[in-house]
Amino acid sequence: MIRLFKHYVPHAVLLLGMVDVVLLFCAAEASWVLRAWQIGMAVTPVTHRLGPLLTFAVAVETALIAVGVYGLDALHSVRFAAVRLIVGVAVGMIIVSVLSFLFPGLTLWRSNALYAALIAPTALTVARLMLGRLLGSETFKRRLLVLGAGPRAARIKALGDRPGAGFIVCGFIGMNDGPDAVRGAINRDAIESLADHVVNLKASEVVLALQERRNALPLKDLLRLKTTGVHVSELSTFLERETGRVDLATASHSWLIFSDGFASGRFLSSIAKRQFDILVSLVMLIVSAPLILLTAIAIRLESKGPAFYRQKRVGLFGEEFDVIKLRSMRQDAEVAGQAVWAQENDPRVTRVGRFIRMVRIDELPQLWVVLKGKMSFVGPRPERLQFVTSLAEQLPFYDERHMVKPGITGWAQINYPYGASLEDAHNKLEYDLYYAKNYTPFLDLLILLQTVRVLIWPSGAR
């Protein structure tokens, strides 16, 4: 994987993204040449239209990222990818249309853009058919040697057996630190030189997955490997990189303290983030005001009670604040203010409420909370105090998610379905901790783009 702004991107995804940008540029150029031939116009050098061609390629590539073209499902199914490519190009055309209105000189003519939009999905699908085997081959996969053969090592094996894994486990070495749980593991005593064994296996990384480190960690061997260019990873760091979340089963206080993350240089990023929140929330409030008003009227017509509701949520540094939403449940959804998990097909949800939850219209009034500064566009989902108190007692490091401002959307929201149980809260916490630990403006941008995918394919909405 390649680390971009503290976030890991698989080599295969990066290569495919670069190929897509080139193909989109070529599709735009082909449309220009085709249109020039139709109207009998001489074709000028490509340097004369670099701006419009690049604008089209970047706009559509941004849309492809947003709709999930580079997700695991799309990478392993050409049919699945083709559908997302068509949707992505359509969304990209909307972006191009907006840019053509704002910056007429930097975009393709409408007829050219239409031809490019027709050419692009075919070219991108053909590229996936041609590169499919290469992207799924061992060319882009790292070879790992795992020190340990217990349950922790078994987790790595299970992760490597999943479709789309970015690594291959070439061997396990039992370190006499507990009973083995992996078949075929070699005992450390049977290996004369760990360094030579790594070379023979052509491993580029060694992962420490010991059950008990005391008197089992081969420090001299690991130092020799490190100095010869072999990457040595601790299990928690490895799982964070491969899964995009902090694994609570292996994470410890010492690892969180000494591992990379929670950088102090966030001051300028926080200022930029706040300015973005103010500008975008103000514009979106103005644009969405008619929709909010019409939805509020529909809610009042269907059921008794106010169209909006306020609810206390826990935010930055554990401070409570009022969140505002359009009401999607009956007024008597909770008895005596007792917090209750939302369930799938919850009978308390009204007909209007079910629709606005599915398309996320109920979240629009939270733009006011963002404008006031209590929330951000991106961050962990704010929870109610009753849930926070209970979850903090049952889940380790739960309070650490409150070290960043809560958001309307977040890393957990785009990677995990709506949670309504302790297990769901556990899984979402792992994503929230990853965000809190690795926050950068790049990750915020990626989350905002991927939120479009959740809006188009609203799985998990309740």
Side-chain angles (χ1 to χ4, degrees), residues 210-255:
L210 284 68
Q211 295 300 117
E212 175 58 59
R213 289 190 180 184
R214 187 177 303 171
N215 300 324
L217 199 61
L219 296 178
K220 290 185 178 180
D221 290 330
L222 292 177
L223 179 59
R224 177 63 58 85
L225 292 172
K226 183 76 173 180
T227 56
T228 55
V230 176
H231 191 66
V232 180
S233 301
E234 200 273 337
L235 180 59
S236 295
T237 302
F238 172 79
L239 292 175
E240 179 189 27
R241 182 185 70 203
E242 297 299 324
T243 64
R245 57 187 185 181
V246 172
D247 184 69
L248 293 179
T250 61
S252 63
H253 287 84
S254 59
W255 177 75

mmCIF file of all heavy atoms in Angstrom, residues 210-255:
data_model
loop_
_atom_site.group_PDB
_atom_site.id
_atom_site.type_symbol
_atom_site.label_atom_id
_atom_site.label_comp_id
_atom_site.label_asym_id
_atom_site.label_seq_id
_atom_site.Cartn_x
_atom_site.Cartn_y
_atom_site.Cartn_z
ATOM 1 N N LEU A 210 2.490 -12.300 18.250
ATOM 2 C CA LEU A 210 2.747 -13.170 19.391
ATOM 3 C C LEU A 210 1.645 -13.035 20.428
ATOM 4 O O LEU A 210 1.117 -11.942 20.650
ATOM 5 C CB LEU A 210 4.096 -12.846 20.033
ATOM 6 C CG LEU A 210 5.364 -13.339 19.310
ATOM 7 C CD1 LEU A 210 5.570 -12.606 17.999
ATOM 8 C CD2 LEU A 210 6.580 -13.133 20.204
ATOM 9 N N GLN A 211 1.312 -14.137 21.049
ATOM 10 C CA GLN A 211 0.343 -14.101 22.136
ATOM 11 C C GLN A 211 0.956 -13.513 23.400
ATOM 12 O O GLN A 211 0.308 -12.795 24.155
ATOM 13 C CB GLN A 211 -0.159 -15.524 22.437
ATOM 14 C CG GLN A 211 -0.942 -16.170 21.298
ATOM 15 C CD GLN A 211 -2.173 -15.378 20.935
ATOM 16 O OE1 GLN A 211 -2.296 -14.866 19.825
ATOM 17 N NE2 GLN A 211 -3.105 -15.238 21.869
ATOM 18 N N GLU A 212 2.212 -13.799 23.623
ATOM 19 C CA GLU A 212 2.915 -13.307 24.804
ATOM 20 C C GLU A 212 4.343 -12.948 24.396
ATOM 21 O O GLU A 212 5.088 -13.791 23.901
ATOM 22 C CB GLU A 212 2.944 -14.378 25.909
ATOM 23 C CG GLU A 212 3.762 -14.003 27.124
ATOM 24 C CD GLU A 212 3.282 -12.721 27.775
ATOM 25 O OE1 GLU A 212 2.111 -12.672 28.176
ATOM 26 O OE2 GLU A 212 4.095 -11.756 27.856
ATOM 27 N N ARG A 213 4.703 -11.678 24.547
ATOM 28 C CA ARG A 213 6.006 -11.226 24.082
ATOM 29 C C ARG A 213 7.138 -11.548 25.049
ATOM 30 O O ARG A 213 8.297 -11.574 24.671
ATOM 31 C CB ARG A 213 5.987 -9.711 23.859
ATOM 32 C CG ARG A 213 5.166 -9.290 22.655
ATOM 33 C CD ARG A 213 5.414 -7.821 22.372
ATOM 34 N NE ARG A 213 4.644 -7.370 21.226
ATOM 35 C CZ ARG A 213 4.747 -6.135 20.713
ATOM 36 N NH1 ARG A 213 5.562 -5.264 21.268
ATOM 37 N NH2 ARG A 213 4.020 -5.796 19.675
ATOM 38 N N ARG A 214 6.818 -11.754 26.279
ATOM 39 C CA ARG A 214 7.848 -11.942 27.279
ATOM 40 C C ARG A 214 8.749 -13.121 26.916
ATOM 41 O O ARG A 214 8.284 -14.241 26.736
ATOM 42 C CB ARG A 214 7.212 -12.178 28.649
ATOM 43 C CG ARG A 214 8.205 -12.216 29.807
ATOM 44 C CD ARG A 214 7.443 -12.377 31.118
ATOM 45 N NE ARG A 214 6.457 -11.309 31.295
ATOM 46 C CZ ARG A 214 5.551 -11.310 32.265
ATOM 47 N NH1 ARG A 214 5.481 -12.322 33.118
ATOM 48 N NH2 ARG A 214 4.687 -10.310 32.355
ATOM 49 N N ASN A 215 10.046 -12.854 26.785
ATOM 50 C CA ASN A 215 11.077 -13.860 26.469
ATOM 51 C C ASN A 215 10.835 -14.559 25.133
ATOM 52 O O ASN A 215 11.399 -15.615 24.880
ATOM 53 C CB ASN A 215 11.156 -14.925 27.575
ATOM 54 C CG ASN A 215 11.495 -14.325 28.926
ATOM 55 O OD1 ASN A 215 12.271 -13.375 29.002
ATOM 56 N ND2 ASN A 215 10.916 -14.868 29.979
ATOM 57 N N ALA A 216 9.983 -13.983 24.263
ATOM 58 C CA ALA A 216 9.697 -14.635 22.980
ATOM 59 C C ALA A 216 10.071 -13.769 21.790
ATOM 60 O O ALA A 216 10.128 -14.262 20.666
ATOM 61 C CB ALA A 216 8.213 -15.000 22.905
ATOM 62 N N LEU A 217 10.332 -12.495 22.008
ATOM 63 C CA LEU A 217 10.603 -11.579 20.911
ATOM 64 C C LEU A 217 12.075 -11.650 20.513
ATOM 65 O O LEU A 217 12.962 -11.329 21.310
ATOM 66 C CB LEU A 217 10.243 -10.154 21.340
ATOM 67 C CG LEU A 217 10.021 -9.133 20.234
ATOM 68 C CD1 LEU A 217 8.868 -9.570 19.341
ATOM 69 C CD2 LEU A 217 9.718 -7.761 20.835
ATOM 70 N N PRO A 218 12.404 -12.067 19.272
ATOM 71 C CA PRO A 218 13.799 -12.185 18.827
ATOM 72 C C PRO A 218 14.362 -10.831 18.385
ATOM 73 O O PRO A 218 14.419 -10.521 17.185
ATOM 74 C CB PRO A 218 13.686 -13.161 17.655
ATOM 75 C CG PRO A 218 12.327 -12.919 17.091
ATOM 76 C CD PRO A 218 11.451 -12.532 18.249
ATOM 77 N N LEU A 219 14.777 -10.039 19.335
ATOM 78 C CA LEU A 219 15.160 -8.661 19.058
ATOM 79 C C LEU A 219 16.336 -8.565 18.084
ATOM 80 O O LEU A 219 16.333 -7.732 17.170
ATOM 81 C CB LEU A 219 15.499 -7.947 20.356
ATOM 82 C CG LEU A 219 14.334 -7.784 21.344
ATOM 83 C CD1 LEU A 219 14.798 -7.102 22.618
ATOM 84 C CD2 LEU A 219 13.204 -6.985 20.701
ATOM 85 N N LYS A 220 17.373 -9.398 18.264
ATOM 86 C CA LYS A 220 18.531 -9.328 17.372
ATOM 87 C C LYS A 220 18.148 -9.664 15.939
ATOM 88 O O LYS A 220 18.582 -8.999 14.991
ATOM 89 C CB LYS A 220 19.621 -10.276 17.866
ATOM 90 C CG LYS A 220 20.294 -9.839 19.173
ATOM 91 C CD LYS A 220 21.432 -10.763 19.534
ATOM 92 C CE LYS A 220 22.133 -10.298 20.817
ATOM 93 N NZ LYS A 220 23.261 -11.179 21.188
ATOM 94 N N ASP A 221 17.322 -10.685 15.768
ATOM 95 C CA ASP A 221 16.884 -11.060 14.420
ATOM 96 C C ASP A 221 16.042 -9.963 13.786
ATOM 97 O O ASP A 221 16.180 -9.666 12.597
ATOM 98 C CB ASP A 221 16.078 -12.359 14.471
ATOM 99 C CG ASP A 221 16.941 -13.565 14.801
ATOM 100 O OD1 ASP A 221 18.132 -13.548 14.441
ATOM 101 O OD2 ASP A 221 16.435 -14.509 15.424
ATOM 102 N N LEU A 222 15.151 -9.370 14.584
ATOM 103 C CA LEU A 222 14.293 -8.312 14.048
ATOM 104 C C LEU A 222 15.100 -7.079 13.667
ATOM 105 O O LEU A 222 14.823 -6.424 12.656
ATOM 106 C CB LEU A 222 13.220 -7.951 15.076
ATOM 107 C CG LEU A 222 12.169 -9.028 15.354
ATOM 108 C CD1 LEU A 222 11.218 -8.571 16.447
ATOM 109 C CD2 LEU A 222 11.381 -9.368 14.098
ATOM 110 N N LEU A 223 16.120 -6.769 14.471
ATOM 111 C CA LEU A 223 16.984 -5.636 14.146
ATOM 112 C C LEU A 223 17.731 -5.895 12.843
ATOM 113 O O LEU A 223 17.870 -4.997 12.001
ATOM 114 C CB LEU A 223 17.972 -5.376 15.285
ATOM 115 C CG LEU A 223 18.961 -4.222 15.067
ATOM 116 C CD1 LEU A 223 18.219 -2.911 14.841
ATOM 117 C CD2 LEU A 223 19.921 -4.112 16.250
ATOM 118 N N ARG A 224 18.241 -7.122 12.676
ATOM 119 C CA ARG A 224 18.944 -7.465 11.439
ATOM 120 C C ARG A 224 18.012 -7.330 10.224
ATOM 121 O O ARG A 224 18.405 -6.802 9.184
ATOM 122 C CB ARG A 224 19.473 -8.903 11.552
ATOM 123 C CG ARG A 224 20.171 -9.421 10.293
ATOM 124 C CD ARG A 224 21.420 -8.596 9.991
ATOM 125 N NE ARG A 224 22.333 -8.623 11.112
ATOM 126 C CZ ARG A 224 23.241 -9.587 11.318
ATOM 127 N NH1 ARG A 224 23.316 -10.606 10.488
ATOM 128 N NH2 ARG A 224 24.050 -9.540 12.352
ATOM 129 N N LEU A 225 16.778 -7.807 10.369
ATOM 130 C CA LEU A 225 15.813 -7.681 9.281
ATOM 131 C C LEU A 225 15.508 -6.219 8.967
ATOM 132 O O LEU A 225 15.429 -5.820 7.810
ATOM 133 C CB LEU A 225 14.521 -8.419 9.644
ATOM 134 C CG LEU A 225 14.602 -9.942 9.728
ATOM 135 C CD1 LEU A 225 13.303 -10.504 10.298
ATOM 136 C CD2 LEU A 225 14.873 -10.541 8.359
ATOM 137 N N LYS A 226 15.322 -5.445 10.007
ATOM 138 C CA LYS A 226 15.003 -4.022 9.844
ATOM 139 C C LYS A 226 16.106 -3.291 9.093
ATOM 140 O O LYS A 226 15.846 -2.485 8.196
ATOM 141 C CB LYS A 226 14.780 -3.389 11.221
ATOM 142 C CG LYS A 226 14.363 -1.937 11.197
ATOM 143 C CD LYS A 226 12.918 -1.767 10.803
ATOM 144 C CE LYS A 226 12.470 -0.328 10.941
ATOM 145 N NZ LYS A 226 11.056 -0.143 10.570
ATOM 146 N N THR A 227 17.347 -3.582 9.451
ATOM 147 C CA THR A 227 18.480 -2.894 8.823
ATOM 148 C C THR A 227 18.732 -3.362 7.397
ATOM 149 O O THR A 227 19.452 -2.692 6.655
ATOM 150 C CB THR A 227 19.759 -3.096 9.657
ATOM 151 O OG1 THR A 227 19.994 -4.504 9.832
ATOM 152 C CG2 THR A 227 19.631 -2.428 11.014
ATOM 153 N N THR A 228 18.168 -4.484 7.012
ATOM 154 C CA THR A 228 18.328 -4.960 5.629
ATOM 155 C C THR A 228 17.147 -4.575 4.746
ATOM 156 O O THR A 228 17.071 -5.024 3.597
ATOM 157 C CB THR A 228 18.499 -6.497 5.602
ATOM 158 O OG1 THR A 228 17.401 -7.116 6.275
ATOM 159 C CG2 THR A 228 19.804 -6.901 6.264
ATOM 160 N N GLY A 229 16.233 -3.769 5.282
ATOM 161 C CA GLY A 229 15.141 -3.245 4.464
ATOM 162 C C GLY A 229 13.831 -3.981 4.555
ATOM 163 O O GLY A 229 12.864 -3.624 3.867
ATOM 164 N N VAL A 230 13.757 -5.002 5.399
ATOM 165 C CA VAL A 230 12.487 -5.721 5.577
ATOM 166 C C VAL A 230 11.614 -4.940 6.558
ATOM 167 O O VAL A 230 12.075 -4.544 7.627
ATOM 168 C CB VAL A 230 12.729 -7.153 6.099
ATOM 169 C CG1 VAL A 230 11.396 -7.850 6.366
ATOM 170 C CG2 VAL A 230 13.554 -7.944 5.102
ATOM 171 N N HIS A 231 10.365 -4.724 6.176
ATOM 172 C CA HIS A 231 9.457 -3.958 7.032
ATOM 173 C C HIS A 231 8.972 -4.833 8.192
ATOM 174 O O HIS A 231 8.525 -5.964 7.970
ATOM 175 C CB HIS A 231 8.256 -3.470 6.218
ATOM 176 C CG HIS A 231 7.420 -2.467 6.928
ATOM 177 N ND1 HIS A 231 7.867 -1.209 7.258
ATOM 178 C CD2 HIS A 231 6.138 -2.535 7.389
ATOM 179 C CE1 HIS A 231 6.902 -0.549 7.874
ATOM 180 N NE2 HIS A 231 5.850 -1.327 7.971
ATOM 181 N N VAL A 232 9.079 -4.337 9.418
ATOM 182 C CA VAL A 232 8.636 -5.060 10.607
ATOM 183 C C VAL A 232 7.450 -4.322 11.203
ATOM 184 O O VAL A 232 7.544 -3.133 11.527
ATOM 185 C CB VAL A 232 9.762 -5.187 11.644
ATOM 186 C CG1 VAL A 232 9.269 -5.951 12.879
ATOM 187 C CG2 VAL A 232 10.968 -5.900 11.034
ATOM 188 N N SER A 233 6.320 -5.020 11.339
ATOM 189 C CA SER A 233 5.087 -4.389 11.812
ATOM 190 C C SER A 233 4.553 -5.075 13.051
ATOM 191 O O SER A 233 4.653 -6.296 13.186
ATOM 192 C CB SER A 233 4.004 -4.433 10.722
ATOM 193 O OG SER A 233 4.415 -3.772 9.556
ATOM 194 N N GLU A 234 3.995 -4.288 13.939
ATOM 195 C CA GLU A 234 3.270 -4.809 15.091
ATOM 196 C C GLU A 234 1.843 -5.108 14.645
ATOM 197 O O GLU A 234 1.319 -4.464 13.733
ATOM 198 C CB GLU A 234 3.305 -3.776 16.213
ATOM 199 C CG GLU A 234 3.020 -4.315 17.601
ATOM 200 C CD GLU A 234 1.533 -4.318 17.888
ATOM 201 O OE1 GLU A 234 0.809 -3.543 17.235
ATOM 202 O OE2 GLU A 234 1.106 -5.080 18.769
ATOM 203 N N LEU A 235 1.201 -6.088 15.269
ATOM 204 C CA LEU A 235 -0.096 -6.557 14.792
ATOM 205 C C LEU A 235 -1.135 -5.447 14.731
ATOM 206 O O LEU A 235 -1.881 -5.335 13.752
ATOM 207 C CB LEU A 235 -0.595 -7.703 15.684
ATOM 208 C CG LEU A 235 -1.954 -8.292 15.307
ATOM 209 C CD1 LEU A 235 -1.930 -8.841 13.885
ATOM 210 C CD2 LEU A 235 -2.365 -9.379 16.294
ATOM 211 N N SER A 236 -1.222 -4.603 15.763
ATOM 212 C CA SER A 236 -2.237 -3.540 15.775
ATOM 213 C C SER A 236 -2.032 -2.577 14.608
ATOM 214 O O SER A 236 -2.996 -2.158 13.959
ATOM 215 C CB SER A 236 -2.192 -2.783 17.105
ATOM 216 O OG SER A 236 -2.552 -3.622 18.178
ATOM 217 N N THR A 237 -0.772 -2.229 14.336
ATOM 218 C CA THR A 237 -0.473 -1.338 13.220
ATOM 219 C C THR A 237 -0.819 -1.999 11.892
ATOM 220 O O THR A 237 -1.365 -1.361 10.983
ATOM 221 C CB THR A 237 1.015 -0.949 13.244
ATOM 222 O OG1 THR A 237 1.319 -0.323 14.492
ATOM 223 C CG2 THR A 237 1.344 0.004 12.111
ATOM 224 N N PHE A 238 -0.512 -3.283 11.779
ATOM 225 C CA PHE A 238 -0.818 -4.022 10.552
ATOM 226 C C PHE A 238 -2.322 -4.064 10.302
ATOM 227 O O PHE A 238 -2.792 -3.800 9.183
ATOM 228 C CB PHE A 238 -0.253 -5.442 10.667
ATOM 229 C CG PHE A 238 -0.670 -6.349 9.556
ATOM 230 C CD1 PHE A 238 -0.042 -6.293 8.320
ATOM 231 C CD2 PHE A 238 -1.705 -7.263 9.735
ATOM 232 C CE1 PHE A 238 -0.436 -7.133 7.278
ATOM 233 C CE2 PHE A 238 -2.100 -8.109 8.713
ATOM 234 C CZ PHE A 238 -1.456 -8.043 7.479
ATOM 235 N N LEU A 239 -3.096 -4.375 11.331
ATOM 236 C CA LEU A 239 -4.548 -4.451 11.171
ATOM 237 C C LEU A 239 -5.147 -3.081 10.869
ATOM 238 O O LEU A 239 -6.096 -2.970 10.084
ATOM 239 C CB LEU A 239 -5.181 -5.040 12.432
ATOM 240 C CG LEU A 239 -4.878 -6.513 12.710
ATOM 241 C CD1 LEU A 239 -5.469 -6.941 14.053
ATOM 242 C CD2 LEU A 239 -5.403 -7.408 11.596
ATOM 243 N N GLU A 240 -4.610 -2.040 11.477
ATOM 244 C CA GLU A 240 -5.095 -0.691 11.187
ATOM 245 C C GLU A 240 -4.885 -0.359 9.718
ATOM 246 O O GLU A 240 -5.769 0.196 9.052
ATOM 247 C CB GLU A 240 -4.364 0.325 12.065
ATOM 248 C CG GLU A 240 -4.789 1.763 11.801
ATOM 249 C CD GLU A 240 -3.910 2.761 12.515
ATOM 250 O OE1 GLU A 240 -2.734 2.449 12.771
ATOM 251 O OE2 GLU A 240 -4.384 3.877 12.809
ATOM 252 N N ARG A 241 -3.731 -0.703 9.197
ATOM 253 C CA ARG A 241 -3.414 -0.417 7.799
ATOM 254 C C ARG A 241 -4.282 -1.217 6.840
ATOM 255 O O ARG A 241 -4.768 -0.691 5.837
ATOM 256 C CB ARG A 241 -1.936 -0.739 7.553
ATOM 257 C CG ARG A 241 -1.460 -0.436 6.135
ATOM 258 C CD ARG A 241 -0.038 -0.905 5.956
ATOM 259 N NE ARG A 241 0.036 -2.359 5.959
ATOM 260 C CZ ARG A 241 1.133 -3.051 6.259
ATOM 261 N NH1 ARG A 241 2.230 -2.425 6.640
ATOM 262 N NH2 ARG A 241 1.120 -4.360 6.191
ATOM 263 N N GLU A 242 -4.517 -2.480 7.131
ATOM 264 C CA GLU A 242 -5.219 -3.351 6.207
ATOM 265 C C GLU A 242 -6.738 -3.196 6.270
ATOM 266 O O GLU A 242 -7.430 -3.445 5.284
ATOM 267 C CB GLU A 242 -4.855 -4.815 6.483
ATOM 268 C CG GLU A 242 -3.395 -5.140 6.261
ATOM 269 C CD GLU A 242 -2.940 -4.904 4.834
ATOM 270 O OE1 GLU A 242 -3.754 -5.153 3.910
ATOM 271 O OE2 GLU A 242 -1.797 -4.469 4.630
ATOM 272 N N THR A 243 -7.268 -2.801 7.412
ATOM 273 C CA THR A 243 -8.725 -2.747 7.573
ATOM 274 C C THR A 243 -9.280 -1.329 7.642
ATOM 275 O O THR A 243 -10.490 -1.145 7.531
ATOM 276 C CB THR A 243 -9.154 -3.498 8.842
ATOM 277 O OG1 THR A 243 -8.612 -2.835 10.000
ATOM 278 C CG2 THR A 243 -8.659 -4.935 8.825
ATOM 279 N N GLY A 244 -8.421 -0.331 7.844
ATOM 280 C CA GLY A 244 -8.909 1.037 7.953
ATOM 281 C C GLY A 244 -9.644 1.306 9.253
ATOM 282 O O GLY A 244 -10.535 2.151 9.298
ATOM 283 N N ARG A 245 -9.273 0.588 10.311
ATOM 284 C CA ARG A 245 -9.879 0.819 11.617
ATOM 285 C C ARG A 245 -8.916 0.370 12.708
ATOM 286 O O ARG A 245 -7.991 -0.398 12.455
ATOM 287 C CB ARG A 245 -11.202 0.060 11.747
ATOM 288 C CG ARG A 245 -11.116 -1.438 11.524
ATOM 289 C CD ARG A 245 -12.484 -2.071 11.509
ATOM 290 N NE ARG A 245 -12.436 -3.526 11.423
ATOM 291 C CZ ARG A 245 -13.504 -4.303 11.380
ATOM 292 N NH1 ARG A 245 -14.717 -3.756 11.430
ATOM 293 N NH2 ARG A 245 -13.394 -5.605 11.302
ATOM 294 N N VAL A 246 -9.131 0.855 13.913
ATOM 295 C CA VAL A 246 -8.311 0.478 15.061
ATOM 296 C C VAL A 246 -8.911 -0.774 15.683
ATOM 297 O O VAL A 246 -10.059 -0.752 16.138
ATOM 298 C CB VAL A 246 -8.249 1.621 16.094
ATOM 299 C CG1 VAL A 246 -7.560 1.160 17.362
ATOM 300 C CG2 VAL A 246 -7.516 2.826 15.508
ATOM 301 N N ASP A 247 -8.150 -1.847 15.699
ATOM 302 C CA ASP A 247 -8.651 -3.128 16.204
ATOM 303 C C ASP A 247 -8.634 -3.115 17.734
ATOM 304 O O ASP A 247 -7.568 -3.126 18.353
ATOM 305 C CB ASP A 247 -7.776 -4.264 15.675
ATOM 306 C CG ASP A 247 -8.293 -5.621 16.089
ATOM 307 O OD1 ASP A 247 -9.366 -6.019 15.595
ATOM 308 O OD2 ASP A 247 -7.643 -6.264 16.933
ATOM 309 N N LEU A 248 -9.816 -3.095 18.334
ATOM 310 C CA LEU A 248 -9.911 -3.002 19.791
ATOM 311 C C LEU A 248 -9.399 -4.256 20.492
ATOM 312 O O LEU A 248 -8.978 -4.196 21.650
ATOM 313 C CB LEU A 248 -11.362 -2.734 20.200
ATOM 314 C CG LEU A 248 -11.938 -1.380 19.788
ATOM 315 C CD1 LEU A 248 -13.390 -1.266 20.227
ATOM 316 C CD2 LEU A 248 -11.126 -0.242 20.384
ATOM 317 N N ALA A 249 -9.425 -5.390 19.815
ATOM 318 C CA ALA A 249 -8.997 -6.635 20.443
ATOM 319 C C ALA A 249 -7.493 -6.677 20.671
ATOM 320 O O ALA A 249 -7.014 -7.382 21.559
ATOM 321 C CB ALA A 249 -9.431 -7.826 19.593
ATOM 322 N N THR A 250 -6.732 -5.930 19.883
ATOM 323 C CA THR A 250 -5.276 -5.952 20.006
ATOM 324 C C THR A 250 -4.681 -4.617 20.433
ATOM 325 O O THR A 250 -3.536 -4.571 20.860
ATOM 326 C CB THR A 250 -4.633 -6.378 18.673
ATOM 327 O OG1 THR A 250 -4.990 -5.429 17.656
ATOM 328 C CG2 THR A 250 -5.117 -7.757 18.256
ATOM 329 N N ALA A 251 -5.442 -3.529 20.298
ATOM 330 C CA ALA A 251 -4.918 -2.206 20.644
ATOM 331 C C ALA A 251 -4.717 -2.081 22.152
ATOM 332 O O ALA A 251 -5.486 -2.632 22.943
ATOM 333 C CB ALA A 251 -5.866 -1.116 20.155
ATOM 334 N N SER A 252 -3.690 -1.375 22.539
ATOM 335 C CA SER A 252 -3.387 -1.150 23.953
ATOM 336 C C SER A 252 -3.111 0.329 24.176
ATOM 337 O O SER A 252 -2.918 1.092 23.220
ATOM 338 C CB SER A 252 -2.169 -1.972 24.379
ATOM 339 O OG SER A 252 -1.018 -1.553 23.650
ATOM 340 N N HIS A 253 -3.088 0.719 25.435
ATOM 341 C CA HIS A 253 -2.774 2.112 25.750
ATOM 342 C C HIS A 253 -1.385 2.484 25.228
ATOM 343 O O HIS A 253 -1.189 3.570 24.673
ATOM 344 C CB HIS A 253 -2.847 2.342 27.262
ATOM 345 C CG HIS A 253 -4.248 2.359 27.805
ATOM 346 N ND1 HIS A 253 -4.929 1.209 28.129
ATOM 347 C CD2 HIS A 253 -5.095 3.392 28.073
ATOM 348 C CE1 HIS A 253 -6.137 1.527 28.584
ATOM 349 N NE2 HIS A 253 -6.264 2.840 28.559
ATOM 350 N N SER A 254 -0.428 1.601 25.410
ATOM 351 C CA SER A 254 0.943 1.906 24.985
ATOM 352 C C SER A 254 1.022 2.050 23.468
ATOM 353 O O SER A 254 1.735 2.923 22.949
ATOM 354 C CB SER A 254 1.904 0.811 25.465
ATOM 355 O OG SER A 254 1.532 -0.452 24.939
ATOM 356 N N TRP A 255 0.285 1.198 22.744
ATOM 357 C CA TRP A 255 0.316 1.309 21.288
ATOM 358 C C TRP A 255 -0.289 2.631 20.832
ATOM 359 O O TRP A 255 0.262 3.302 19.945
ATOM 360 C CB TRP A 255 -0.451 0.143 20.660
ATOM 361 C CG TRP A 255 -0.512 0.246 19.167
ATOM 362 C CD1 TRP A 255 0.496 -0.014 18.276
ATOM 363 C CD2 TRP A 255 -1.634 0.680 18.384
ATOM 364 N NE1 TRP A 255 0.067 0.220 16.989
ATOM 365 C CE2 TRP A 255 -1.229 0.640 17.027
ATOM 366 C CE3 TRP A 255 -2.924 1.073 18.693
ATOM 367 C CZ2 TRP A 255 -2.088 0.996 15.992
ATOM 368 C CZ3 TRP A 255 -3.778 1.426 17.655
ATOM 369 C CH2 TRP A 255 -3.358 1.383 16.335
#
